[in-house]
Amino acid sequence: MDMISISGQYALLTLFFVVQIAYSLSLGLNFFFASLPTNMVTQADIDAVTEDECPFIVLFYPVLRELEGTMRTTFTSLSQLRYPKHRYKVVAIPNENDYETVASLRRLKQEFSFLEIVEVPPTTHPSWQAVWDGWDSTRKAYWWHEGHRAYNRDLPPKKTRQLVYAFYNVAKKFEGREDFLVNYIDADSCPPADHFLAGAAGMKKYDVLQAQNIAGNLNESMAATWHAADHMSWDGLTYPHLTANGRQPYWVLGKGLFFRASDLIELGGFHPWITIEDPEVGMRFWTNGRKLGVIENPLIEEVPSTLMHGITQRKRWVCGFFQSLTSPLTSMGMTRWQKFRAWLNFLPCLSMSINTIGIPIGIWAMWQYFSGQGNLPAEAAIFPILNLSMFSLLLLRLYISVWTRSKLVAESVWTRVWYLVRINPVSLMVWWLIWLIPLYIGLRMYIKDQGLVWERTVKTNANEDLIMTQIAAE
């Protein structure tokens, strides 16, 4: 019986060490990212831009079965842009068989004269030849030249296909004239008035620009609060450190981006066979020496108000992460060390649930040790002390950032306080456990080669009042 008891205690002690060491590594990764430098587009950079320095910008707006009200709110935001009107165009790109969205866009065009509409036909249409020619001209479009989908023109029906078609056909019209900047946003994205000026400023120093994002409907529901916390902790806190003076492979966030059209053509545009194009295109640009800068002033967006809609969105993120971090890294030419660095970007997402395991075990172990009721060796106490200290510092850093950033969208101080209350540590640990669901579904989608049809995130025009209030206050 004593041998069984000793064996059980040894097993528990081993489990304790495994969990706490894994947790130390997980927390340490967050500190590693926090230690990397950031390359930001500052307000001074924006203020220094003159009209002569304003490149032509084409903003692409891919949409699928969107509410007319949601699109009107976005266009109202775009109507406030401070940028020479003859130096940009806004191009909505619905599928031509998305009849309701096309009809809504045509009505909106009567309100917003800057709007152009390019309807995306089936890939059998002759106008797709601009895409096939573009991919033929560069080996960087490796999916077109190699693998079991090489030269497959039956591209999957999702946002990437719409972007690919619109970009190459617009670029064809610019041939022999001038280079231009490519910018694209989601249906609900509301850029700040200086968004294009920030693009003009940032492209003086960097090759790719990424605007940060923030949710306008922070307190709409508990699900919205949790979904918004992801953007607070990743987009607003960790992501800027991926710039790292060009040292760290980076992803892009899928909206609020700026590329040079010439770079997109040279490097192959967007990979259509990955669930989300964001991580792959960012890493391909990094592999080819393009440097990333981050625009601090964020786009205001709408996060899902229900758990199921959020899980649908996040399972696609996860599937796209797995797809991007496997064979594409070899095809784009990464070394083993570069691949390892690229995987580091995904590990915080994979390891969030360790918080929910590591923290309670750490608290229990410390109580056992300091109360003298357990058999935990003195040397082992360093792990829970270290982990709880690191976790507390990371939470403090997050809450300071949330308090600062929430001012951009919160109506009052009490709204910001209430949001902080809603993302208390216990609440976050529940959310991190829920994240296991999209992680599992996304992995299964990756294994089964799914995720190639656009499952749009449901938008409800949740930010209309906020955007109108902000515009009226300017």
Side-chain angles (χ1 to χ4, degrees), residues 399-464:
Y399 289 142
I400 292 172
S401 175
V402 168
W403 179 253
T404 302
R405 284 170 54 79
S406 61
K407 187 177 182 179
L408 297 167
V409 293
E411 300 170 357
S412 67
V413 169
W414 292 112
T415 302
R416 297 159 70 192
V417 170
W418 180 229
Y419 182 69
L420 285 173
V421 170
R422 289 164 71 96
I423 57 167
N424 64 76
V426 175
S427 172
L428 287 178
M429 284 194 282
V430 171
W431 173 232
W432 292 329
L433 269 183
I434 294 173
W435 246 100
L436 288 172
I437 300 172
L439 283 171
Y440 166 73
I441 299 174
L443 175 59
R444 188 177 64 183
M445 289 171 61
Y446 162 67
I447 293 170
K448 294 184 176 182
D449 195 23
Q450 296 175 340
L452 298 180
V453 176
W454 193 357
E455 290 182 80
R456 59 181 291 274
T457 303
V458 176
K459 307 295 195 313
T460 61
N461 197 22
N463 290 331
E464 180 180 16

Side-chain angles (χ1 to χ4, degrees), residues 221-227 230 306-315 318 349-357 422 425-442:
S221 65
M222 198 62 225
T225 292
W226 282 333
H227 297 148
D230 286 343
T306 70
L307 275 179
M308 289 309 300
H309 289 157
I311 288 171
T312 296
Q313 184 183 56
R314 280 153 180 76
K315 74 181 184 183
V318 171
C349 179
L350 283 173
S351 63
M352 283 189 299
S353 57
I354 297 179
N355 290 316
T356 311
I357 302 170
R422 289 164 71 96
V426 175
S427 172
L428 287 178
M429 284 194 282
V430 171
W431 173 232
W432 292 329
L433 269 183
I434 294 173
W435 246 100
L436 288 172
I437 300 172
L439 283 171
Y440 166 73
I441 299 174

Side-chain angles (χ1 to χ4, degrees), residues 53-60 81-91 170 174 178-184 194-201 203 257-259:
E53 298 174 309
C54 291
F56 199 94
I57 297 174
V58 179
L59 185 151
F60 292 107
L81 287 169
R82 296 194 300 269
Y83 203 77
K85 295 189 181 300
H86 66 286
R87 297 298 292 163
Y88 72 90
K89 65 167 62 180
V90 176
V91 182
V170 169
F174 275 80
E178 64 175 316
D179 202 359
F180 63 95
L181 299 186
V182 174
N183 182 227
Y184 56 95
D194 63 2
H195 181 58
F196 282 179
L197 288 172
M203 279 299 183
L257 278 154
F258 290 92
F259 298 103

Side-chain angles (χ1 to χ4, degrees), residues 334-367:
M334 279 198 186
T335 65
R336 289 185 179 180
W337 173 244
Q338 290 170 337
K339 292 176 184 179
F340 172 76
R341 293 286 294 258
W343 267 96
L344 292 181
N345 297 341
F346 189 24
L347 292 183
C349 179
L350 283 173
S351 63
M352 283 189 299
S353 57
I354 297 179
N355 290 316
T356 311
I357 302 170
I359 288 299
I361 290 179
I363 293 173
W364 169 81
M366 288 182 63
W367 177 78

Side-chain angles (χ1 to χ4, degrees), residues 14-54:
T14 301
L15 178 62
F16 166 80
F17 274 112
V18 169
V19 170
Q20 290 298 305
I21 291 172
Y23 193 39
S24 295
L25 293 173
S26 173
L27 292 170
L29 181 59
N30 286 280
F31 278 93
F32 163 73
F33 280 124
S35 72
L36 297 176
T38 59
N39 301 122
M40 307 295 293
V41 179
T42 66
Q43 190 61 49
D45 295 327
I46 296 171
D47 293 340
V49 174
T50 65
E51 185 168 338
D52 292 340
E53 298 174 309
C54 291

